[in-house]
Amino acid sequence: MTVVVNKKRPLEPLDYFPSGLVLPAVPLAVQEPNALLRGDTAAAVQDLFAAAADDGVGLTLVSGYRSYQDQVSTYEHWVAQNGGDTTAADRISARAGFSEHQTGLAFDVGQDDGACTLSPCFADTAAGQWMAANAHRFGFILRYPDGAEGITGFSGEAWHYRYVGPDVAQAMRAEGTGTLEEYFGLPAAPGY
């Protein structure tokens, strides 16, 4: 649950497949295979979504588990979108074997009306603000905060959350620690 996957710390093996993937019972903005999560993560996502709904905030799961091959395709898409520039693609997409989505512990969240999905403006939506204020209570951290690209290697992604369990998430929040690299005393991973 506390594995750190970044540009310097690939999964072992690169084509790692987590066991026990399940579909959380939450609103989905994606087809089922791309919404699967590890069992512990899915249970926490369900609790998180229920608490948000109790507060009048509608969330949707935009992306969950991605296989090695899915991440190959995702990365290639971003390379093509950036005119073949891998440096630009590396700021916004992990290479296969280096993606948190491949662990089944990470998910992208959106607002239920689709406002600002996978866009920086998500941080300003009711869903983005609720997640920023409450995700830690359920064991989640915002994995790629704005301004931490030199540490995480990725541009800020207000929608990308990672399950680390309540103890770590709440400790990071209490200490004001922004990244897993800092929390665990690991070297920054700005590039491969």
Side-chain angles (χ1 to χ4, degrees):
M1 178 176 14
T2 57
V3 65
V4 179
V5 180
N6 62 30
K7 293 176 178 179
K8 301 290 185 195
R9 298 174 60 89
L11 289 161
E12 294 180 18
L14 285 178
D15 63 351
Y16 170 79
F17 176 81
S19 61
L21 292 174
V22 298
L23 181 65
V26 298
L28 305 177
V30 65
Q31 296 292 323
E32 179 179 329
N34 297 320
L36 299 173
L37 296 168
R38 276 184 30 169
D40 50 3
T41 306
V45 163
Q46 290 174 176
D47 292 343
L48 175 120
F49 275 52
D54 288 347
D55 288 344
V57 175
L59 303 176
T60 185
L61 194 146
V62 177
S63 180
Y65 169 74
R66 279 189 216 131
S67 70
Y68 179 89
Q69 196 55 49
D70 286 343
Q71 194 63 36
V72 167
S73 299
T74 298
Y75 181 75
E76 288 174 353
H77 164 81
W78 287 111
V79 170
Q81 287 291 108
N82 285 281
D85 183 354
T86 57
T87 301
D90 284 342
R91 294 183 65 222
I92 55 176
S93 180
R95 297 178 185 181
F98 295 82
S99 173
E100 286 198 326
H101 283 285
Q102 199 176 323
T103 68
L105 296 166
F107 77 105
D108 295 334
V109 64
Q111 187 160 281
D112 63 353
D113 65 1
C116 296
T117 298
L118 303 180
S119 177
C121 64
F122 175 73
D124 300 321
T125 66
Q129 292 175 358
W130 190 93
M131 287 293 295
N134 294 284
H136 68 283
R137 295 180 16 222
F138 301 89
F140 293 96
I141 60 164
L142 176 65
R143 182 62 176 101
Y144 306 121
D146 279 336
E149 186 173 348
I151 298 168
T152 66
F154 292 100
S155 299
E157 293 187 358
W159 57 88
H160 182 96
Y161 280 82
R162 163 65 196 280
Y163 188 67
V164 293
D167 292 343
V168 172
Q170 291 170 21
M172 287 179 67
R173 178 75 169 213
E175 296 169 9
T177 306
T179 69
L180 283 179
E181 287 81 4
E182 293 168 301
Y183 182 76
F184 288 116
L186 299 171
Y192 291 97

